[in-house]
Amino acid sequence: MLTKEMTVSQVLRLYPQTIQVFLELGMHCLGCPSSATESIEGAALTHGRNADELVAQLNQAIEP
């Protein structure tokens, strides 16, 4: 289960299927340097998204 404290790059590395979720939400800077240290919560705030909703969508994407 993903949490909003995880970094963007950590999520992408562990669950590449989440890339589509980020892209659909207009979060296209997946390869930018800040993704290595920025939390999911921080990325959500930067992009004007609700962190809890983003985490829910990411968790849904990784469900079997």
Side-chain angles (χ1 to χ4, degrees):
M1 183 160 147
L2 304 177
T3 67
K4 59 186 172 185
E5 291 78 27
M6 295 175 77
T7 66
V8 173
S9 63
Q10 184 180 27
V11 171
L12 295 174
R13 186 175 61 255
L14 295 171
Y15 304 101
Q17 65 269 41
T18 61
I19 291 171
Q20 191 61 36
V21 174
F22 286 108
L23 294 177
E24 288 174 0
L25 295 173
M27 302 172 80
H28 298 108
C29 59
L30 302 179
C32 72
S34 65
S35 71
T37 58
E38 188 169 42
S39 67
I40 297 297
E41 183 173 34
L45 292 173
T46 298
H47 292 276
R49 302 286 176 181
N50 178 290
D52 293 322
E53 290 176 10
L54 175 56
V55 169
Q57 288 178 286
L58 292 169
N59 276 316
Q60 186 175 18
I62 66 170
E63 288 179 359

PDB file of all heavy atoms in Angstrom, residues 4-5 9 15 17 21 24 27 38-39 43 50 55 61:
ATOM      1  N   LYS A   4       1.363   8.763   1.266  1.00  0.00           N
ATOM      2  CA  LYS A   4       1.726  10.067   0.713  1.00  0.00           C
ATOM      3  C   LYS A   4       3.121  10.512   1.125  1.00  0.00           C
ATOM      4  O   LYS A   4       3.647  11.474   0.587  1.00  0.00           O
ATOM      5  CB  LYS A   4       0.667  11.117   1.049  1.00  0.00           C
ATOM      6  CG  LYS A   4       0.393  11.345   2.505  1.00  0.00           C
ATOM      7  CD  LYS A   4      -0.777  12.297   2.663  1.00  0.00           C
ATOM      8  CE  LYS A   4      -1.205  12.408   4.110  1.00  0.00           C
ATOM      9  NZ  LYS A   4      -2.398  13.244   4.226  1.00  0.00           N
ATOM     10  N   GLU A   5       3.750   9.786   2.036  1.00  0.00           N
ATOM     11  CA  GLU A   5       5.115  10.105   2.439  1.00  0.00           C
ATOM     12  C   GLU A   5       6.164   9.518   1.489  1.00  0.00           C
ATOM     13  O   GLU A   5       7.319   9.935   1.493  1.00  0.00           O
ATOM     14  CB  GLU A   5       5.390   9.600   3.868  1.00  0.00           C
ATOM     15  CG  GLU A   5       4.631  10.351   4.941  1.00  0.00           C
ATOM     16  CD  GLU A   5       3.156   9.937   5.062  1.00  0.00           C
ATOM     17  OE1 GLU A   5       2.803   8.792   4.718  1.00  0.00           O
ATOM     18  OE2 GLU A   5       2.360  10.786   5.495  1.00  0.00           O
ATOM     19  N   SER A   9       9.625   9.023  -7.161  1.00  0.00           N
ATOM     20  CA  SER A   9      10.500   8.060  -7.837  1.00  0.00           C
ATOM     21  C   SER A   9      10.410   6.671  -7.210  1.00  0.00           C
ATOM     22  O   SER A   9      10.494   5.662  -7.910  1.00  0.00           O
ATOM     23  CB  SER A   9      11.951   8.544  -7.856  1.00  0.00           C
ATOM     24  OG  SER A   9      12.461   8.656  -6.551  1.00  0.00           O
ATOM     25  N   TYR A  15       6.247   0.489  -8.711  1.00  0.00           N
ATOM     26  CA  TYR A  15       4.969   0.242  -9.392  1.00  0.00           C
ATOM     27  C   TYR A  15       4.883   1.066 -10.678  1.00  0.00           C
ATOM     28  O   TYR A  15       4.214   2.103 -10.734  1.00  0.00           O
ATOM     29  CB  TYR A  15       3.797   0.608  -8.471  1.00  0.00           C
ATOM     30  CG  TYR A  15       3.835  -0.107  -7.151  1.00  0.00           C
ATOM     31  CD1 TYR A  15       4.299   0.525  -6.005  1.00  0.00           C
ATOM     32  CD2 TYR A  15       3.423  -1.437  -7.058  1.00  0.00           C
ATOM     33  CE1 TYR A  15       4.340  -0.136  -4.779  1.00  0.00           C
ATOM     34  CE2 TYR A  15       3.471  -2.108  -5.843  1.00  0.00           C
ATOM     35  CZ  TYR A  15       3.924  -1.458  -4.707  1.00  0.00           C
ATOM     36  OH  TYR A  15       3.966  -2.121  -3.511  1.00  0.00           O
ATOM     37  N   GLN A  17       3.188   0.781 -13.164  1.00  0.00           N
ATOM     38  CA  GLN A  17       1.822   0.951 -13.663  1.00  0.00           C
ATOM     39  C   GLN A  17       1.178   2.249 -13.171  1.00  0.00           C
ATOM     40  O   GLN A  17       0.140   2.667 -13.671  1.00  0.00           O
ATOM     41  CB  GLN A  17       0.946  -0.267 -13.319  1.00  0.00           C
ATOM     42  CG  GLN A  17       0.705  -0.498 -11.844  1.00  0.00           C
ATOM     43  CD  GLN A  17       1.712  -1.411 -11.175  1.00  0.00           C
ATOM     44  OE1 GLN A  17       2.902  -1.339 -11.440  1.00  0.00           O
ATOM     45  NE2 GLN A  17       1.232  -2.276 -10.274  1.00  0.00           N
ATOM     46  N   VAL A  21      -1.443   7.006 -14.094  1.00  0.00           N
ATOM     47  CA  VAL A  21      -2.223   7.841 -13.169  1.00  0.00           C
ATOM     48  C   VAL A  21      -1.627   9.243 -13.116  1.00  0.00           C
ATOM     49  O   VAL A  21      -2.338  10.242 -13.240  1.00  0.00           O
ATOM     50  CB  VAL A  21      -2.259   7.226 -11.751  1.00  0.00           C
ATOM     51  CG1 VAL A  21      -2.941   8.163 -10.765  1.00  0.00           C
ATOM     52  CG2 VAL A  21      -2.940   5.876 -11.773  1.00  0.00           C
ATOM     53  N   GLU A  24      -2.297  11.079 -16.460  1.00  0.00           N
ATOM     54  CA  GLU A  24      -3.702  11.467 -16.630  1.00  0.00           C
ATOM     55  C   GLU A  24      -4.067  12.680 -15.771  1.00  0.00           C
ATOM     56  O   GLU A  24      -4.988  13.414 -16.104  1.00  0.00           O
ATOM     57  CB  GLU A  24      -4.618  10.291 -16.303  1.00  0.00           C
ATOM     58  CG  GLU A  24      -4.594   9.206 -17.356  1.00  0.00           C
ATOM     59  CD  GLU A  24      -5.395   7.975 -16.976  1.00  0.00           C
ATOM     60  OE1 GLU A  24      -5.995   7.930 -15.878  1.00  0.00           O
ATOM     61  OE2 GLU A  24      -5.401   7.028 -17.796  1.00  0.00           O
ATOM     62  N   MET A  27       0.487  15.401 -14.326  1.00  0.00           N
ATOM     63  CA  MET A  27       1.751  15.424 -13.584  1.00  0.00           C
ATOM     64  C   MET A  27       2.816  14.781 -14.473  1.00  0.00           C
ATOM     65  O   MET A  27       3.140  13.616 -14.338  1.00  0.00           O
ATOM     66  CB  MET A  27       1.584  14.693 -12.252  1.00  0.00           C
ATOM     67  CG  MET A  27       0.492  15.301 -11.387  1.00  0.00           C
ATOM     68  SD  MET A  27       0.111  14.343  -9.909  1.00  0.00           S
ATOM     69  CE  MET A  27       1.459  14.871  -8.845  1.00  0.00           C
ATOM     70  N   GLU A  38      10.882  14.340  -3.797  1.00  0.00           N
ATOM     71  CA  GLU A  38       9.566  14.898  -3.478  1.00  0.00           C
ATOM     72  C   GLU A  38       8.583  13.786  -3.118  1.00  0.00           C
ATOM     73  O   GLU A  38       8.466  12.794  -3.827  1.00  0.00           O
ATOM     74  CB  GLU A  38       9.033  15.703  -4.660  1.00  0.00           C
ATOM     75  CG  GLU A  38       7.767  16.458  -4.344  1.00  0.00           C
ATOM     76  CD  GLU A  38       7.406  17.452  -5.428  1.00  0.00           C
ATOM     77  OE1 GLU A  38       7.523  17.117  -6.621  1.00  0.00           O
ATOM     78  OE2 GLU A  38       7.007  18.555  -5.070  1.00  0.00           O
ATOM     79  N   SER A  39       7.886  13.987  -2.026  1.00  0.00           N
ATOM     80  CA  SER A  39       6.877  13.018  -1.601  1.00  0.00           C
ATOM     81  C   SER A  39       5.651  13.112  -2.502  1.00  0.00           C
ATOM     82  O   SER A  39       5.461  14.104  -3.217  1.00  0.00           O
ATOM     83  CB  SER A  39       6.463  13.288  -0.160  1.00  0.00           C
ATOM     84  OG  SER A  39       5.772  14.526  -0.080  1.00  0.00           O
ATOM     85  N   ALA A  43       4.209  16.473  -4.248  1.00  0.00           N
ATOM     86  CA  ALA A  43       3.897  16.538  -5.677  1.00  0.00           C
ATOM     87  C   ALA A  43       2.438  16.917  -5.885  1.00  0.00           C
ATOM     88  O   ALA A  43       2.113  17.706  -6.772  1.00  0.00           O
ATOM     89  CB  ALA A  43       4.197  15.200  -6.338  1.00  0.00           C
ATOM     90  N   ASN A  50      -5.310  16.942  -4.532  1.00  0.00           N
ATOM     91  CA  ASN A  50      -5.525  16.481  -3.170  1.00  0.00           C
ATOM     92  C   ASN A  50      -4.671  15.232  -2.961  1.00  0.00           C
ATOM     93  O   ASN A  50      -4.804  14.243  -3.691  1.00  0.00           O
ATOM     94  CB  ASN A  50      -7.008  16.163  -2.958  1.00  0.00           C
ATOM     95  CG  ASN A  50      -7.295  15.645  -1.577  1.00  0.00           C
ATOM     96  OD1 ASN A  50      -6.910  14.533  -1.234  1.00  0.00           O
ATOM     97  ND2 ASN A  50      -7.980  16.446  -0.801  1.00  0.00           N
ATOM     98  N   VAL A  55      -3.234   9.445  -3.620  1.00  0.00           N
ATOM     99  CA  VAL A  55      -2.797   8.166  -3.044  1.00  0.00           C
ATOM    100  C   VAL A  55      -3.848   7.090  -3.284  1.00  0.00           C
ATOM    101  O   VAL A  55      -3.512   5.951  -3.626  1.00  0.00           O
ATOM    102  CB  VAL A  55      -2.471   8.318  -1.539  1.00  0.00           C
ATOM    103  CG1 VAL A  55      -2.282   6.968  -0.875  1.00  0.00           C
ATOM    104  CG2 VAL A  55      -1.239   9.179  -1.350  1.00  0.00           C
ATOM    105  N   ALA A  61      -4.487   1.691  -8.725  1.00  0.00           N
ATOM    106  CA  ALA A  61      -3.740   1.268  -9.911  1.00  0.00           C
ATOM    107  C   ALA A  61      -2.851   0.062  -9.632  1.00  0.00           C
ATOM    108  O   ALA A  61      -2.539  -0.704 -10.552  1.00  0.00           O
ATOM    109  CB  ALA A  61      -2.898   2.419 -10.442  1.00  0.00           C
TER     110      ALA A  61
END
